[in-house]
Amino acid sequence: MKSLLKVISAIMIFTLGFTFVFSGEKAEARAGAKFTVKLTKCVDGDTAYFTKVGKSRFLYVDTPESTIQHEAYGKTAANYTCSMLKKAKKIQLQYDGPRKDKYNRTLVWVWVDGKLLQKLLVQKGYVEKFYDYGTYSYESELIKLQKQAQKNRVGLWSKKKASSSNSTTKKPSTSKTSFKNCTELRKVYPNGVPKGHKAYDSKMDRDKDGYACER
């Protein structure tokens, strides 16, 4: 009887321990605690380097290209982001789901002096579209702000008709392998293409990491 009780107790302890670990992993899939970093390099409207995490891709927002391809409002968005980061007294990051993308970039929400930078970019009309690889903590709020920016015709939307742009571009049926810029390439390959792919062009590999037009 005592042996049976010991076995049952051991099973219960193991189960509780497993539940605790699993819950901890699950908690990481939600927006985590903010942590303070410093800017080391600003790349463009949605990418920067920070201490502790290295190259970081801002969660959910996609601003126009501003380096090799000069898309409308690309430089404006980049200048705004870099200005906000450089003058910020305090920069904080926040994880929300997977911490890395397939290009090994850190995925984060970015806070500048207590304000969510992604939210500011959307309000200014500098976010072209959203990339949705999961459910994010501030997703619904950003979608509402995007619709408001479109309605008010600010930034990118100043010369465009208001339309819903919170969905990922769908891949059309085409055999085209040569593209003028990343905007055109992403209509066919939404996440970019690796070196060796028929559509890869080194001119579109802005960070020279062997992947062109990645998000």
Side-chain angles (χ1 to χ4, degrees):
M1 186 66 179
K2 288 183 179 180
S3 298
L4 180 61
L5 289 173
K6 286 182 179 180
V7 171
I8 294 173
S9 297
I11 292 173
M12 290 178 67
I13 291 171
F14 174 79
T15 303
L16 288 170
F18 178 79
T19 302
F20 176 78
V21 171
F22 181 75
S23 298
E25 290 177 348
K26 225 178 161 185
E28 288 182 359
R30 306 185 186 95
K34 298 174 188 175
F35 58 97
T36 303
V37 297
K38 290 184 179 180
L39 175 70
T40 57
K41 179 183 177 182
C42 186
V43 179
D44 56 23
D46 54 35
T47 309
Y49 288 76
F50 301 102
T51 57
K52 300 181 183 179
V53 296
K55 187 175 184 180
S56 302
R57 181 66 168 80
F58 302 176
L59 273 173
Y60 200 53
V61 298
D62 185 25
T63 61
E65 298 292 332
S66 64
T67 51
I68 295 176
Q69 290 78 40
H70 300 290
E71 299 175 351
Y73 280 89
K75 278 293 182 184
T76 304
N79 290 338
Y80 179 77
T81 291
C82 293
S83 175
M84 292 297 291
L85 290 172
K86 289 175 181 178
K87 72 180 183 180
K89 294 180 180 179
K90 187 175 185 179
I91 299 174
Q92 294 174 295
L93 305 181
Q94 190 177 30
Y95 294 123
D96 197 359
R99 297 187 178 186
K100 295 280 187 177
D101 64 10
K102 60 183 178 181
Y103 314 114
N104 203 37
R105 298 174 299 184
T106 302
L107 301 173
V108 288
W109 294 110
V110 183
W111 298 81
V112 289
D113 295 328
K115 296 180 180 180
L116 184 60
L117 184 53
Q118 281 96 326
K119 179 178 177 179
L120 299 176
L121 285 166
V122 173
Q123 289 176 316
K124 287 283 185 179
Y126 299 156
V127 174
E128 188 173 22
K129 52 186 173 289
F130 300 132
Y131 65 91
D132 198 346
Y133 299 148
T135 301
Y136 302 114
S137 298
Y138 310 108
E139 182 175 339
S140 59
E141 182 180 3
L142 293 181
I143 290 173
K144 289 179 182 178
L145 290 173
Q146 181 79 306
K147 290 179 180 178
Q148 191 63 45
Q150 291 173 329
K151 182 179 179 181
N152 294 338
R153 302 289 181 89
V154 297
L156 280 162
W157 316 112
S158 59
K159 294 182 181 181
K160 296 181 180 180
K161 291 183 179 181
S163 61
S164 176
S165 65
N166 57 304
S167 60
T168 305
T169 304
K170 292 184 178 179
K171 179 179 177 180
S173 176
T174 179
S175 59
K176 188 175 180 181
T177 60
S178 180
F179 303 89
K180 294 188 301 182
N181 52 44
C182 283
T183 298
E184 293 299 314
L185 185 144
R186 285 175 182 156
K187 290 178 181 178
V188 182
Y189 305 104
N191 297 313
V193 295
K195 190 173 183 179
H197 189 282
K198 60 184 179 181
Y200 177 85
D201 187 331
S202 60
K203 292 185 293 185
M204 293 189 222
D205 187 357
R206 60 184 182 181
D207 53 7
K208 306 302 178 186
D209 63 350
Y211 218 102
C213 304
E214 71 266 34
R215 295 191 182 282

